[in-house]
Amino acid sequence: MTNPTSTPPGSNLDPHDSAGHDVRDMYSPLPVAPLEEHALSGPTRTLWRDAWRRLRKNKLAMAGLAWVVLVIAVTLSADLWVPDAFGDPETINTATAAQNYLLPPSAEHPFGTDKLARDVFSRVVYGARISLSVGVIAVFISITIGLIMGALAGYYGGLADVLVMRLADVFLAFPYVLFAVALIAVLGPGYINVFIAIGVLGWPTIARVFRSSILSVKENEYIDAARAMGASDARIIFRHILPNAIAPIIVYGTMATGGAILTEAALSFLGMGVQPPTPSWGLMLSDAKALMQRAPWMMIYPGAAILTTVLSFVLMGDGLRDALDVKMKD
Amino acid sequence: MTRLLEVIDLQTHFFTRDGVVKAVDGVSFTLDKGETLGVVGESGSGKSVTAMSIMRLIPDPPGKVVGGDIIFKGDSVLEMTAQQVRSLRGNRIAMIFQDPMTSLNPVYRVGEQIGESVRLHKNASKQEAFERAVELLDLVGIPHPRERARDYPHQFSGGMRQRAMIAMAIANQPKVLIADEPTTALDVTIQAQILDLMNELQDRTGTAIIMITHDLGVIADMADKVLVMYAGRPVEYGSAADVFYNPKHPYTWGLLDSLPRHDVAMKDTLNPIQGQPPSMIRVPEGCSFHPRCPYARVKCIKEEPVLRHTEAEHGSACHFAGDDGFVRGEATACREVS
Amino acid sequence: MALLKVENLVKHFPVEQGVILSRVGAHVKAVDGVSFEVDQGETLGLVGESGCGKSTTGRCIIRLIEPTSGPIEFEGRNVVAMGRRGLREFRREVQIIFQDPYASLNPRMTIGEIVSEPLGVNKMGTAAEQRKVVQDLLDVVGLNPEHINRYPHEFSGGQRQRIGIARALTLRPKLIVCDEPVSALDVSIQAQVVNLLQDLQDQFGLTYLFIAHDLSVIRHISDRIAVMYLGKIVEVGDYKGLYDAPHHPYTQSLLSAVPVPDPELQRKRERIILQGDVPSPINPPEGCRFHTRCPIAQPVCSQKEPELRDVAPGQKAACHFAKPFPIDLKVAVQKG
């Protein structure tokens, strides 16, 4: 039965065991291996580290992450090079406007220029600032409200649950964009109000996701174990429930960032969001729609920016969902 | 003579992110009409994967039957076309699963589901199929079968659902019935009902049964032959009497010795098998049981033992099976495992 | 004096109906008048099929579930009436071990954090002292103390159950409620954990309330055993009497239904196969709750509820016709 071509598996054994038997003899008792040999080896694996390892293997999610990182890097460094190289995104240079308006893409203006002779690339880059900050800030607002509401409903249940969930139903029953438009009509246009409107409108879904996540985590006996040792509610929520219930929020929050960017674009397109001359992708589309045939670049580039950025967030969310799936037992 | 079912050196592997899992690694057995084979082993021992391989239900990827053969009435199941496999499944070979709560579709009436399995394989009208379903429900001991056939699964208790599953499995008078832990999710008094029912149906129809379980009591009740599996490999195979009264593998000894009994007084401490079940990614080399075996010698890590037939129809995959004095209760341990 | 005394414990769960405003209609009578005592240092086995209320009883005792009524006395103090403070004290002395070795350990915490948490919650010891306690405990339950920084998913089921046991021991409790501690484990591992629990009992003078559905494990570990059916105790007695001479027909059927790992014996055994299913605990049968399935039921059984009465020294059964095994099997066959 021994395979002569490969080294026998036992060949790394010490030739003598503790009792002095020669273990090269096939009939000597086998020394007892330390416990670790067939249970634990290698560095400690945390669930977060495992998730990151899985995420790294997901090519689409990593492409999404790379794109988002690139957009962030370009946006953050924009002040250093974009206006110098391509022109200011907001101010209209009246002196050169007459010959520079509606130029098609060229080396000097890679995305062309708009009807006010501003560089489209520069406006797309600065538009990303608005889009990303809307995404991040609005989702931050949504998550903050959503986590509190979801925790109230999921952990305490009873009347708190009924009230919170019915309120969420009311929010969800309104047509989303219409509600946002109405809210901005009350608050007045401007990007701060866009953050608030999108953020406030986003909480019910987060609350629902978090509530059901809490409910399923609460079923676990380690929660009972914590109660049985006398742990306080706060300790149970923050040490036991939150770390285990947060994964769906991370996934949903990532996807919702894409959604918030899309909503901002829609609101600005309708004229209810960011106001000119501040560049915003939605606003740029709105400007472009009358000139669609004459200057298609005015529409293509901001459109592509929305598409790729939103898609990247969705792909990242998808990848995170697979990577954070903690249901597997091995 | 052609056997009803013959499994020869079956190897089913799963190709996972963490490595190759040899879920089934060299399993062989035969099954004849009216026989019951008990397959016993702990979780991860490969007993369910063996059953799924016979049914050609291994998800590919990640799983794949990489070696051996499965011969049903002289034909290789592995070489069948998808069409042929479909006409085999649920017809000549049927299966009952562990969880009676999830194996019935909640949106169809129980009678329709049982009738469906008749209609798939026989040319029956909807009405005929329903009549057959009522007949089957009666056969498996469901009271008021005509009314109950119109119920939805959630209106059935766990025991009744398992009876309905059996009714569905025997709808087309299969030659082989594979039962994968059919009573594990049930209470003991319900388990007794189901085992009784299976024994009775077998007496009446001569269906061969493969009973997969971790419960040696269930095996003792049902099985004519027993296959003991450990870490994907067969470690002992023989008649029920051989395996229970003259076991030849230290793992089988360990299983029998570690069980507390409700019918006889026991001594104060139990005799567990020490150590932990192996990780299926890194199965120990040589004999996979060696890290937990008190009789392991150097040979056990250097050479992989094969299931040897020490006498007609009784085999043990232990290097020392059949040696003088290597008998359950008499062999002396040569090392201490903790 | 008994360490734990449960008197007429009742737990009814409301069945919620309606979506907008839940109205309470029916109740699931999970535990319906259960009384027993557990003495210092003994193991009381609580056995029964799923839904009989054994787990609910265990959880009521440590107040993970609020009982509907019935005093539960631990060392003379009424657990049901305890306030926040009293409960905290009480929970240092009573701990629980759970069934599922996967769900009972927080996957985001290391073994060290899990086992030391009871100390942290009760603000006992410095970090270094806690670490020492944890390492000692891991050693006691047969785990490598060096694994203190590992996470639960790196361990096998049996090892995880040992971690759960170590956590229950951290506060050096007097009573441990073991809620099906071995039923999720593989056969070869069950015996390891049963042995460990017995060793720990000797070493620390523990008292166990051992809840299980497996009659073999219960027989092995228990000094006395109570059999539950549909929220009530139907028979209680010491392990010898109960297994050798069960008096209640339910105990008898239960024992006869468990297959023994001995083919010749198993196929020769006389068995009572109970008909039908356990009735719903929302509407338990009138009179004796077992009468709908009982092989020896008489008209009186559906009218009058039998009291738990002495049937042998140290053994009580709640049956109008309690008598030792074997019961008249012909009756059983007729009924079937």
Side-chain angles (χ1 to χ4, degrees):
Chain A
M1 269 306 288
T2 13
N3 185 352
T5 56
S6 67
T7 37
S11 58
N12 55 347
L13 290 172
D14 186 274
H16 294 87
D17 68 4
S18 51
H21 298 297
D22 186 344
V23 296
R24 284 165 301 190
D25 172 4
M26 286 293 209
Y27 294 94
S28 299
L30 190 67
V32 178
L35 207 66
E36 285 89 327
E37 194 202 62
H38 40 99
L40 301 167
S41 59
T44 296
R45 293 159 46 210
T46 70
L47 292 178
W48 295 120
R49 211 174 296 167
D50 280 5
W52 170 238
R53 195 170 50 93
R54 282 195 290 270
L55 186 65
R56 262 191 337 213
K57 288 190 183 162
N58 186 330
K59 291 196 184 72
L60 284 175
M62 291 319 281
L65 181 65
W67 177 252
V68 170
V69 168
L70 180 76
V71 171
I72 291 174
V74 167
T75 318
L76 286 181
S77 65
D79 282 344
L80 300 178
W81 55 285
V82 174
D84 295 342
F86 304 103
D88 191 274
E90 289 185 19
T91 29
I92 305 152
N93 189 339
T94 40
T96 54
Q99 60 266 47
N100 278 356
Y101 85 115
L102 292 184
L103 290 180
S106 63
E108 200 184 342
H109 299 289
F111 291 179
T113 59
D114 68 2
K115 63 182 179 201
L116 296 173
R118 293 170 299 195
D119 180 73
V120 175
F121 176 77
S122 177
R123 284 181 65 76
V124 166
V125 167
Y126 278 85
R129 279 198 175 171
I130 297 287
S131 290
L132 288 179
S133 33
V134 163
V136 172
I137 295 171
V139 169
F140 179 80
I141 296 173
S142 301
I143 287 184
T144 310
I145 306 175
L147 286 190
I148 294 170
M149 298 297 236
L152 279 175
Y155 187 72
Y156 291 101
L159 191 62
D161 188 21
V162 173
L163 291 178
V164 169
M165 283 301 111
R166 290 307 80 86
L167 186 64
D169 288 346
V170 170
F171 268 75
L172 290 172
F174 280 96
Y176 184 74
V177 174
L178 218 60
F179 202 171
V181 168
L183 206 60
I184 289 169
V186 175
L187 297 172
Y191 63 90
I192 299 291
N193 291 340
V194 172
F195 293 165
I196 295 172
I198 298 177
V200 167
L201 288 181
W203 76 266
T205 320
I206 303 264
R208 281 190 159 186
V209 171
F210 194 47
R211 170 180 175 270
S212 67
S213 181
I214 287 179
L215 289 180
S216 74
V217 171
K218 248 171 75 177
E219 289 295 302
N220 283 304
E221 285 175 331
Y222 57 80
I223 305 296
D224 280 341
R227 288 176 57 205
M229 65 182 73
S232 62
D233 280 2
R235 187 184 184 97
I236 291 174
I237 293 176
F238 289 107
R239 263 189 92 78
H240 294 283
I241 294 182
L242 206 61
N244 289 291
I246 204 71
I249 299 299
I250 296 175
V251 173
Y252 185 79
T254 309
M255 293 191 171
T257 308
I261 291 173
L262 218 49
T263 309
E264 181 275 329
L267 288 173
S268 298
F269 184 85
L270 294 174
M272 300 298 290
V274 176
Q275 298 301 308
T278 313
S280 146
W281 293 343
L283 200 57
M284 290 168 76
L285 286 181
S286 172
D287 287 347
K289 67 178 186 283
L291 299 160
M292 200 155 39
Q293 269 155 1
R294 227 185 119 194
W297 55 89
M298 278 180 65
M299 177 159 281
I300 290 170
Y301 293 104
I306 295 174
L307 181 77
T308 48
T309 309
V310 172
L311 188 65
S312 293
F313 278 107
V314 172
L315 289 176
M316 270 163 62
D318 242 4
L320 281 169
R321 183 171 54 203
D322 294 342
L324 288 171
D325 184 5
V326 288
K327 268 173 278 171
M328 19 184 292
K329 299 173 180 177
D330 53 36
Chain B
M1 187 193 104
T2 359
R3 314 304 285 254
L4 178 60
L5 181 71
E6 209 168 341
V7 172
I8 308 155
D9 198 25
L10 179 71
Q11 290 179 314
T12 306
H13 296 180
F14 286 81
F15 300 88
T16 70
R17 210 168 35 208
D18 301 313
V20 179
V21 174
K22 296 179 177 173
V24 176
D25 198 14
V27 166
S28 306
F29 60 82
T30 60
L31 191 67
D32 291 321
K33 186 175 193 295
E35 257 188 338
T36 300
L37 169 75
V39 182
V40 67
E42 299 174 275
S43 48
S45 62
K47 50 194 197 305
S48 291
V49 177
T50 304
M52 300 296 253
S53 305
I54 296 170
M55 295 289 282
R56 286 265 305 263
L57 285 172
I58 297 294
D60 177 11
K64 203 166 172 47
V65 177
V66 295
D69 210 345
I70 298 161
I71 315 280
F72 177 73
K73 287 186 146 183
D75 298 325
S76 167
V77 174
L78 296 180
E79 283 165 16
M80 287 181 182
T81 62
Q83 172 75 42
Q84 286 170 315
V85 169
R86 273 199 301 277
S87 76
L88 186 75
R89 258 187 227 151
N91 187 20
R92 283 176 292 163
I93 304 182
M95 190 158 174
I96 318 170
F97 298 92
Q98 170 174 348
D99 190 352
M101 296 299 165
T102 57
S103 10
L104 286 168
N105 187 331
V107 302
Y108 294 107
R109 294 173 200 276
V110 173
E112 284 170 3
Q113 290 188 59
I114 298 170
E116 183 70 22
S117 124
V118 178
R119 274 155 54 85
L120 270 178
H121 297 287
K122 308 264 186 309
N123 256 333
S125 72
K126 217 163 179 173
Q127 187 54 38
E128 283 164 355
F130 187 79
E131 288 304 319
R132 175 81 178 128
V134 172
E135 208 177 293
L136 286 162
L137 285 174
D138 191 35
L139 192 67
V140 297
I142 291 199
H144 315 297
R146 191 163 292 278
E147 289 88 76
R148 298 316 298 255
R150 293 200 175 82
D151 281 353
Y152 286 95
H154 71 267
Q155 292 165 288
F156 274 40
S157 68
M160 281 167 67
R161 281 184 222 198
Q162 201 56 300
R163 284 172 189 266
M165 284 306 298
I166 293 174
M168 202 186 298
I170 62 170
N172 298 303
Q173 288 136 339
K175 300 287 178 238
V176 178
L177 179 63
I178 303 176
D180 188 358
E181 304 260 9
T183 58
T184 306
L186 305 175
D187 279 321
V188 280
T189 59
I190 309 298
Q191 165 173 289
Q193 294 174 1
I194 298 292
L195 295 183
D196 221 43
L197 171 68
M198 290 180 70
N199 274 328
E200 196 190 305
L201 289 172
Q202 185 175 42
D203 287 346
R204 211 182 304 173
T205 60
T207 301
I209 296 178
I210 300 178
M211 184 72 165
I212 295 168
T213 177
H214 66 278
D215 187 332
L216 285 166
V218 172
I219 295 280
D221 190 80
M222 298 276 296
D224 304 306
K225 298 199 284 195
V226 180
L227 173 68
V228 184
M229 290 184 70
Y230 185 80
R233 294 179 193 161
V235 296
E236 183 148 8
Y237 177 59
S239 69
D242 283 336
V243 172
F244 278 94
Y245 303 126
N246 187 21
K248 292 199 180 296
H249 196 286
Y251 176 65
T252 318
W253 303 350
L255 276 186
L256 290 166
D257 291 341
S258 63
L259 281 183
R261 294 268 294 258
H262 75 275
D263 59 327
V264 282
M266 304 277 296
K267 55 187 176 58
D268 281 348
T269 43
L270 298 171
N271 279 319
I273 302 176
Q274 298 296 349
Q276 302 300 319
S279 140
M280 290 305 289
I281 302 282
R282 288 178 301 132
V283 176
E285 311 213 45
C287 171
S288 47
F289 186 58
H290 83 255
R292 303 174 72 187
C293 182
Y295 312 98
R297 293 172 188 275
V298 170
K299 191 178 184 186
C300 302
I301 196 172
K302 295 199 170 178
E303 293 177 16
E304 183 182 330
V306 279
L307 192 69
R308 281 191 295 152
H309 287 240
T310 47
E311 55 207 62
E313 289 296 302
H314 184 197
S316 158
C318 175
H319 289 305
F320 307 108
D323 285 7
D324 279 348
F326 201 69
V327 178
R328 177 184 175 206
E330 288 173 29
T332 37
C334 64
R335 62 192 208 135
E336 199 143 302
V337 190
S338 62
Chain C
M1 191 184 77
L3 182 70
L4 178 75
K5 191 173 171 195
V6 176
E7 258 184 68
N8 205 16
L9 177 71
V10 175
K11 177 63 197 180
H12 290 179
F13 290 101
V15 185
E16 289 188 2
Q17 296 165 330
V19 184
I20 306 281
L21 290 168
S22 2
R23 257 194 335 266
V24 170
H27 284 85
V28 174
K29 300 183 175 79
V31 180
D32 211 9
V34 160
S35 308
F36 59 84
E37 288 179 11
V38 191
D39 287 330
Q40 168 70 42
E42 80 164 346
T43 300
L44 177 74
L46 206 53
V47 69
E49 297 180 283
S50 51
C52 71
K54 54 188 192 301
S55 266
T56 307
T57 303
R59 279 156 199 253
C60 281
I61 286 167
I62 53 168
R63 288 255 319 255
L64 279 179
I65 292 176
E66 292 298 325
T68 306
S69 73
I72 297 167
E73 278 179 17
F74 179 77
E75 292 185 318
R77 291 170 283 159
N78 185 356
V79 178
V80 180
M82 279 176 185
R84 195 179 263 271
R85 195 114 167 252
L87 206 55
R88 225 182 153 108
E89 296 276 308
F90 165 72
R91 282 176 170 163
R92 284 188 205 165
E93 296 179 274
V94 181
Q95 279 293 306
I96 179 165
I97 300 169
F98 296 96
Q99 170 176 3
D100 186 341
Y102 291 91
S104 59
L105 305 178
N106 186 340
R108 308 276 174 198
M109 285 165 76
T110 64
I111 305 315
E113 287 166 349
I114 289 170
V115 177
S116 69
E117 193 178 15
L119 298 173
V121 163
N122 291 288
K123 301 187 179 64
M124 292 156 87
T126 64
E129 284 164 358
Q130 290 184 2
R131 191 181 168 84
K132 176 83 174 68
V133 169
V134 171
Q135 284 178 327
D136 289 349
L137 277 170
L138 290 181
D139 192 43
V140 163
V141 299
L143 292 170
N144 187 340
E146 287 166 26
H147 291 159
I148 191 161
N149 290 323
R150 298 272 173 178
Y151 285 84
H153 64 276
E154 299 177 79
F155 293 86
S156 69
Q159 291 171 317
R160 297 170 65 121
Q161 201 59 311
R162 289 171 192 264
I163 298 165
I165 292 170
R167 172 178 60 194
L169 287 174
T170 307
L171 295 172
R172 293 291 152 86
K174 291 179 181 153
L175 173 72
I176 296 185
V177 175
C178 307
D179 189 3
E180 302 258 15
V182 300
S183 47
L185 303 177
D186 273 325
V187 183
S188 72
I189 306 298
Q190 283 193 359
Q192 293 179 5
V193 173
V194 167
N195 280 357
L196 173 65
L197 287 171
Q198 285 183 317
D199 289 348
L200 295 173
Q201 182 165 38
D202 295 343
Q203 200 176 336
F204 298 105
L206 295 168
T207 306
Y208 288 145
L209 177 66
F210 196 95
I211 298 165
H213 68 273
D214 184 326
L215 288 138
S216 313
V217 171
I218 283 277
R219 172 177 188 151
H220 184 75
I221 202 163
S222 309
D223 299 306
R224 288 190 308 122
I225 290 142
V227 182
M228 286 186 73
Y229 183 78
L230 220 52
K232 286 193 178 289
I233 290 180
V234 295
E235 186 160 8
V236 57
D238 67 60
Y239 76 97
K240 238 185 122 23
L242 196 101
Y243 278 79
D244 292 345
H247 278 63
H248 196 286
Y250 178 64
T251 316
Q252 293 161 356
S253 332
L254 208 53
L255 284 171
S256 83
V258 183
V260 296
D262 181 331
E264 276 177 28
L265 187 62
Q266 170 63 14
R267 288 165 208 202
K268 277 201 310 235
R269 285 171 80 216
E270 286 187 290
R271 280 185 292 165
I272 312 167
I273 306 273
L274 288 182
Q275 302 302 311
D277 290 301
V278 182
S280 155
I282 296 177
N283 270 318
E286 298 278 315
C288 171
R289 296 190 168 190
F290 184 56
H291 83 258
T292 53
R293 299 173 80 200
C294 182
I296 59 165
Q298 301 292 323
V300 62
C301 301
S302 57
Q303 288 146 18
K304 196 166 154 256
E305 187 171 340
E307 293 287 313
L308 206 56
R309 62 187 170 90
D310 289 316
V311 290
Q315 193 170 345
K316 291 177 182 177
C319 175
H320 296 301
F321 305 100
K323 56 184 171 185
F325 194 79
I327 62 160
D328 190 355
L329 282 169
K330 270 181 283 178
V331 184
V333 171
Q334 271 169 14
K335 177 109 180 169

